[in-house]
Coordinates of all heavy atoms in Angstrom, one line a residue:
V1 N 0.8 -1.2 0.0 CA 0.0 0.0 0.0 C 0.9 1.3 0.0 O 0.6 2.2 -0.7 CB -1.0 0.0 1.2 CG1 -1.7 1.3 1.3 CG2 -1.9 -1.2 1.1
S2 N 1.9 1.2 0.8 CA 2.8 2.4 0.9 C 3.5 2.6 -0.4 O 3.9 3.7 -0.9 CB 3.8 2.3 2.0 OG 4.7 1.3 1.8
M3 N 3.8 1.5 -1.1 CA 4.5 1.6 -2.4 C 3.7 2.2 -3.5 O 4.1 3.1 -4.2 CB 5.0 0.2 -2.9 CG 6.0 -0.5 -2.0 SD 6.3 -2.3 -2.4 CE 7.0 -2.1 -4.0
L4 N 2.4 1.8 -3.4 CA 1.5 2.4 -4.4 C 1.2 3.8 -4.1 O 0.9 4.6 -5.1 CB 0.1 1.6 -4.4 CG 0.2 0.1 -4.8 CD1 -1.1 -0.6 -4.6 CD2 0.7 0.0 -6.3
A5 N 1.2 4.2 -2.8 CA 1.0 5.6 -2.5 C 2.2 6.5 -2.6 O 2.1 7.7 -2.3 CB 0.4 5.7 -1.1
G6 N 3.3 5.9 -3.0 CA 4.6 6.7 -3.1 C 5.1 7.0 -1.7 O 5.9 8.0 -1.6
K7 N 4.9 6.3 -0.7 CA 5.4 6.6 0.7 C 6.2 5.4 1.2 O 6.2 5.2 2.4 CB 4.2 6.9 1.6 CG 3.4 8.1 1.2 CD 2.2 8.4 2.2 CE 1.5 9.6 1.7 NZ 0.3 9.8 2.7
F8 N 6.8 4.7 0.3 CA 7.5 3.4 0.8 C 8.6 3.8 1.8 O 9.4 4.8 1.6 CB 8.1 2.7 -0.4 CG 8.8 1.4 -0.1 CD1 8.0 0.4 0.4 CD2 10.2 1.3 -0.3 CE1 8.7 -0.8 0.7 CE2 10.8 0.1 0.1 CZ 10.0 -1.0 0.6
D9 N 8.8 2.9 2.8 CA 9.8 3.2 3.8 C 11.1 2.5 3.4 O 11.4 1.3 3.5 CB 9.3 2.6 5.2 CG 10.3 2.8 6.3 OD1 11.4 3.3 6.1 OD2 9.8 2.6 7.5
W10 N 12.1 3.4 2.9 CA 13.3 2.9 2.4 C 14.3 2.4 3.5 O 15.2 1.5 3.3 CB 14.0 3.9 1.5 CG 13.2 4.2 0.3 CD1 12.4 5.2 0.1 CD2 13.1 3.3 -0.9 NE1 11.8 5.1 -1.2 CE2 12.2 4.0 -1.8 CE3 13.8 2.1 -1.3 CZ2 12.0 3.5 -3.1 CZ3 13.5 1.6 -2.5 CH2 12.6 2.2 -3.4
T11 N 14.0 2.9 4.7 CA 14.8 2.4 5.9 C 14.4 1.0 6.2 O 15.3 0.2 6.5 CB 14.6 3.3 7.1 OG1 15.0 4.7 6.8 CG2 15.4 2.9 8.3
W12 N 13.2 0.7 6.1 CA 12.7 -0.7 6.2 C 13.5 -1.6 5.3 O 14.0 -2.7 5.7 CB 11.3 -0.7 6.0 CG 10.7 -2.1 6.0 CD1 10.1 -2.7 7.1 CD2 10.5 -3.1 4.8 NE1 9.7 -4.1 6.7 CE2 9.9 -4.2 5.3 CE3 10.9 -3.0 3.5 CZ2 9.7 -5.3 4.5 CZ3 10.7 -4.1 2.7 CH2 10.0 -5.2 3.2
L13 N 13.5 -1.2 4.0 CA 14.2 -2.0 3.0 C 15.7 -2.2 3.3 O 16.2 -3.4 3.2 CB 14.1 -1.4 1.6 CG 14.7 -2.2 0.5 CD1 14.1 -3.6 0.3 CD2 14.5 -1.4 -0.9
A14 N 16.4 -1.2 3.7 CA 17.8 -1.2 4.0 C 18.0 -2.2 5.2 O 19.0 -3.0 5.2 CB 18.3 0.2 4.3
D15 N 17.1 -2.1 6.2 CA 17.2 -3.0 7.3 C 17.0 -4.5 6.9 O 17.7 -5.3 7.5 CB 16.2 -2.6 8.4 CG 16.5 -1.3 9.1 OD1 17.7 -0.9 9.0 OD2 15.6 -0.7 9.6
R16 N 16.1 -4.7 6.0 CA 15.9 -6.1 5.6 C 17.1 -6.6 4.8 O 17.5 -7.8 4.9 CB 14.7 -6.2 4.8 CG 13.4 -6.0 5.6 CD 13.2 -6.9 6.8 NE 12.0 -6.6 7.5 CZ 11.8 -5.7 8.4 NH1 12.8 -4.9 8.8 NH2 10.6 -5.5 9.0
V17 N 17.6 -5.8 3.9 CA 18.8 -6.2 3.2 C 20.0 -6.5 4.1 O 20.8 -7.5 3.9 CB 19.2 -5.1 2.2 CG1 20.5 -5.4 1.5 CG2 18.1 -4.9 1.1
R18 N 20.1 -5.7 5.2 CA 21.2 -5.9 6.1 C 21.0 -7.2 6.9 O 22.0 -7.9 7.3 CB 21.2 -4.7 7.1 CG 22.4 -4.8 8.1 CD 22.4 -3.6 9.0 NE 22.3 -2.3 8.3 CZ 21.2 -1.5 8.3 NH1 20.1 -1.8 9.0 NH2 21.2 -0.4 7.6
D19 N 19.8 -7.6 7.2 CA 19.6 -8.8 8.0 C 18.3 -9.6 7.5 O 17.3 -9.6 8.1 CB 19.3 -8.5 9.5 CG 19.1 -9.6 10.3 OD1 19.8 -10.7 10.2 OD2 18.2 -9.5 11.2
P20 N 18.5 -10.3 6.3 CA 17.3 -10.9 5.7 C 16.9 -12.2 6.5 O 15.7 -12.5 6.5 CB 17.8 -11.2 4.3 CG 19.3 -11.4 4.4 CD 19.7 -10.4 5.5
F21 N 17.8 -13.0 7.1 CA 17.5 -14.2 7.6 C 18.2 -14.3 9.1 O 19.2 -14.9 9.2 CB 17.9 -15.4 6.8 CG 17.2 -15.4 5.5 CD1 17.8 -15.1 4.3 CD2 15.9 -15.8 5.4 CE1 17.2 -15.1 3.0 CE2 15.2 -15.8 4.2 CZ 15.8 -15.5 3.0
T22 N 17.5 -13.7 10.0 CA 18.0 -13.7 11.4 C 18.3 -15.1 11.9 O 17.4 -16.0 11.8 CB 17.1 -12.9 12.3 OG1 16.8 -11.6 11.7 CG2 17.7 -12.7 13.7
F23 N 19.4 -15.3 12.4 CA 19.8 -16.6 13.1 C 19.9 -17.8 12.2 O 20.2 -18.9 12.7 CB 18.9 -16.9 14.3 CG 19.2 -16.1 15.5 CD1 18.2 -15.8 16.5 CD2 20.5 -15.7 15.8 CE1 18.6 -15.1 17.7 CE2 20.8 -15.0 17.0 CZ 19.9 -14.8 17.9
F24 N 19.5 -17.7 11.0 CA 19.5 -18.9 10.1 C 20.9 -19.4 9.9 O 21.1 -20.6 9.6 CB 18.7 -18.7 8.8 CG 17.9 -19.8 8.5 CD1 16.6 -20.0 9.1 CD2 18.3 -20.8 7.7 CE1 15.8 -21.1 8.9 CE2 17.5 -21.9 7.4 CZ 16.3 -22.1 8.0
N25 N 21.9 -18.5 9.9 CA 23.3 -18.9 9.8 C 23.6 -19.8 10.9 O 24.5 -20.7 10.7 CB 24.2 -17.7 9.7 CG 24.1 -16.8 10.9 OD1 23.1 -16.7 11.5 ND2 25.3 -16.3 11.3
M26 N 23.1 -19.6 12.1 CA 23.3 -20.4 13.2 C 22.9 -21.9 13.0 O 23.5 -22.9 13.4 CB 22.7 -19.8 14.5 CG 23.2 -18.5 14.9 SD 25.0 -18.5 15.4 CE 25.1 -16.8 15.9
I27 N 21.7 -22.0 12.4 CA 21.2 -23.3 12.1 C 22.1 -24.0 11.1 O 22.4 -25.3 11.3 CB 19.7 -23.2 11.5 CG1 18.8 -22.5 12.5 CG2 19.2 -24.6 11.2 CD1 18.6 -23.2 13.8
I28 N 22.5 -23.4 10.1 CA 23.4 -24.0 9.1 C 24.7 -24.4 9.8 O 25.2 -25.5 9.6 CB 23.7 -23.0 8.0 CG1 22.4 -22.7 7.2 CG2 24.8 -23.6 7.1 CD1 22.5 -21.6 6.2
M29 N 25.2 -23.6 10.7 CA 26.5 -23.9 11.4 C 26.2 -25.2 12.3 O 27.0 -26.1 12.4 CB 26.9 -22.8 12.3 CG 27.4 -21.6 11.5 SD 27.9 -20.2 12.6 CE 28.1 -18.9 11.5
A30 N 25.1 -25.2 13.0 CA 24.8 -26.2 13.9 C 24.7 -27.6 13.2 O 25.1 -28.6 13.7 CB 23.5 -26.0 14.6
L31 N 24.2 -27.6 12.0 CA 24.0 -28.8 11.2 C 25.2 -29.2 10.4 O 25.5 -30.4 10.1 CB 22.8 -28.6 10.3 CG 21.4 -28.5 10.9 CD1 20.3 -28.2 9.8 CD2 21.1 -29.7 11.6
G32 N 26.1 -28.2 10.1 CA 27.2 -28.4 9.3 C 28.6 -28.6 9.9 O 29.5 -29.2 9.4
T33 N 28.7 -28.1 11.1 CA 30.0 -28.1 11.8 C 30.3 -29.5 12.3 O 29.5 -30.2 12.9 CB 30.0 -27.2 13.1 OG1 29.8 -25.8 12.6 CG2 31.4 -27.2 13.7
Q34 N 31.5 -30.0 11.9 CA 31.8 -31.4 12.1 C 32.3 -31.8 13.5 O 32.0 -32.9 14.0 CB 32.8 -31.9 11.1 CG 32.3 -31.9 9.7 CD 31.2 -32.8 9.4 OE1 31.2 -34.0 9.8 NE2 30.2 -32.4 8.6
S35 N 33.1 -30.9 14.2 CA 33.6 -31.2 15.4 C 33.6 -30.0 16.4 O 33.4 -28.9 15.9 CB 35.1 -31.7 15.3 OG 35.9 -30.7 14.8
M36 N 33.7 -30.3 17.7 CA 33.7 -29.2 18.7 C 34.7 -28.1 18.4 O 34.4 -26.9 18.7 CB 33.9 -29.8 20.1 CG 32.8 -30.8 20.4 SD 31.1 -30.3 20.3 CE 31.1 -28.9 21.6
D37 N 35.9 -28.5 18.0 CA 37.0 -27.5 17.8 C 36.7 -26.7 16.5 O 37.5 -25.7 16.3 CB 38.3 -28.1 17.8 CG 38.5 -29.2 16.7 OD1 37.6 -29.3 15.9 OD2 39.5 -29.9 16.7
Q38 N 35.7 -27.0 15.8 CA 35.4 -26.2 14.6 C 34.2 -25.2 14.8 O 33.8 -24.5 13.8 CB 35.1 -27.1 13.4 CG 36.2 -27.9 12.9 CD 35.9 -28.9 11.8 OE1 34.7 -29.1 11.4 NE2 36.9 -29.6 11.3
I39 N 33.6 -25.2 15.9 CA 32.5 -24.3 16.2 C 32.9 -22.8 16.0 O 33.8 -22.4 16.7 CB 31.9 -24.6 17.6 CG1 31.2 -26.0 17.7 CG2 30.8 -23.5 17.9 CD1 30.7 -26.3 18.9
P40 N 32.2 -22.1 15.1 CA 32.5 -20.7 14.9 C 32.3 -19.9 16.1 O 31.4 -20.1 16.9 CB 31.7 -20.3 13.7 CG 31.2 -21.6 13.1 CD 31.1 -22.6 14.3
P41 N 33.2 -18.9 16.3 CA 33.0 -18.0 17.5 C 31.7 -17.3 17.6 O 31.2 -17.1 18.7 CB 34.1 -16.9 17.2 CG 35.2 -17.5 16.4 CD 34.3 -18.5 15.5
E42 N 31.0 -17.0 16.4 CA 29.7 -16.3 16.5 C 28.7 -17.2 17.1 O 27.6 -16.7 17.5 CB 29.3 -15.8 15.1 CG 29.3 -16.9 14.0 CD 30.5 -17.0 13.2 OE1 31.6 -16.8 13.8 OE2 30.5 -17.2 12.0
M43 N 28.9 -18.5 17.1 CA 27.8 -19.4 17.7 C 27.8 -19.3 19.3 O 26.9 -19.6 19.9 CB 28.1 -20.8 17.3 CG 27.6 -21.2 15.9 SD 27.6 -23.0 15.6 CE 26.2 -23.5 16.7
Y44 N 28.9 -18.8 19.8 CA 29.0 -18.7 21.3 C 28.1 -17.7 21.9 O 27.8 -17.8 23.1 CB 30.4 -18.5 21.7 CG 31.2 -19.7 21.8 CD1 31.9 -20.2 20.6 CD2 31.3 -20.6 22.9 CE1 32.6 -21.4 20.7 CE2 32.0 -21.8 22.9 CZ 32.7 -22.1 21.8 OH 33.4 -23.3 21.8
S45 N 27.5 -16.8 21.1 CA 26.5 -15.9 21.7 C 25.2 -16.7 22.1 O 24.5 -16.3 23.0 CB 26.1 -14.8 20.7 OG 25.5 -15.4 19.5
V46 N 25.1 -17.9 21.4 CA 23.9 -18.7 21.8 C 24.3 -19.8 22.7 O 23.5 -20.2 23.6 CB 23.3 -19.3 20.4 CG1 22.2 -20.4 20.7 CG2 22.8 -18.3 19.5

């Protein structure tokens, strides 16, 4: 509706481009990491 009215929120779009799939990288790491010593540092927040 905002797009058709010419009032689209470009900040919204920038935020989605910056973070399209929240936490999904963690799922991929959890399923793909083979051993404990290979766990990426970013997983430790969880």
Side-chain angles (χ1 to χ4, degrees):
V1 173
S2 71
M3 294 171 67
L4 295 175
K7 298 179 180 179
F8 184 64
D9 185 348
W10 294 101
T11 301
W12 174 92
L13 180 60
D15 289 339
R16 294 303 184 273
V17 171
R18 186 180 305 112
D19 181 41
F21 295 107
T22 305
F23 277 154
F24 222 81
N25 62 322
M26 299 293 182
I27 300 298
I28 295 171
M29 292 176 192
L31 294 175
T33 303
Q34 295 294 319
S35 63
M36 299 303 296
D37 57 7
Q38 294 177 353
I39 291 179
E42 55 265 40
M43 282 192 70
Y44 276 89
S45 64
V46 174

